[in-house]
Amino acid sequence: MCATRRGGKQEEETSTAKVIVMLMLAIACFGWAFLAAAYAHEKEGWRQASTNLVEDQDGVQYDQRFEDGGSIVRQSRSSLWDFIGNAFRQIPNVFGVLAFSFQNRPWLVILILCLEAGALGLGYAMSKID
């Protein structure tokens, strides 16, 4: 019976480790996506609001992306896929993205590192509870 307890505890520890590793990978992937979006927005003009502005007959500018209010779900999905696609498109520019982020968005880099440290701390706390 002792063998099953030990085996169960080891299985729980590996399960906890897998959860923490997956959480840290998710944070890293989303962090990369946000860093890549900041780079593409600033350097490449990606998803600039000024490119979507149109003028009506009164001379008032508005964003044509929100012209049709009924398609907000479609636009949200499109924006999400655009965000994810940009993260993949920026992989060849990894050094440019990192250099830009450390120079112009250090708060974002620090935030991602803090989230990673928090996930690691959560894993440590979970291992102590078990």
Side-chain angles (χ1 to χ4, degrees), residues 34 53 95:
F34 282 108
L53 290 178
F95 296 114

Side-chain angles (χ1 to χ4, degrees), residues 49-108:
S50 62
T51 60
N52 296 313
L53 290 178
V54 293
E55 259 186 48
D56 63 3
Q57 57 244 29
D58 297 329
V60 177
Q61 289 184 340
Y62 65 95
D63 193 342
Q64 73 182 19
R65 292 179 295 175
F66 301 108
E67 193 172 62
D68 184 17
S71 65
I72 193 74
V73 173
R74 188 186 76 229
Q75 291 173 356
S76 297
R77 245 182 246 138
S78 171
S79 297
L80 176 65
W81 286 114
D82 197 20
F83 178 72
I84 293 170
N86 179 63
F88 284 108
R89 279 192 304 275
Q90 296 301 329
I91 289 174
N93 300 332
V94 67
F95 296 114
V97 170
L98 292 176
F100 171 80
S101 299
F102 277 99
Q103 290 173 356
N104 299 314
R105 305 283 195 276
W107 61 270
L108 188 54

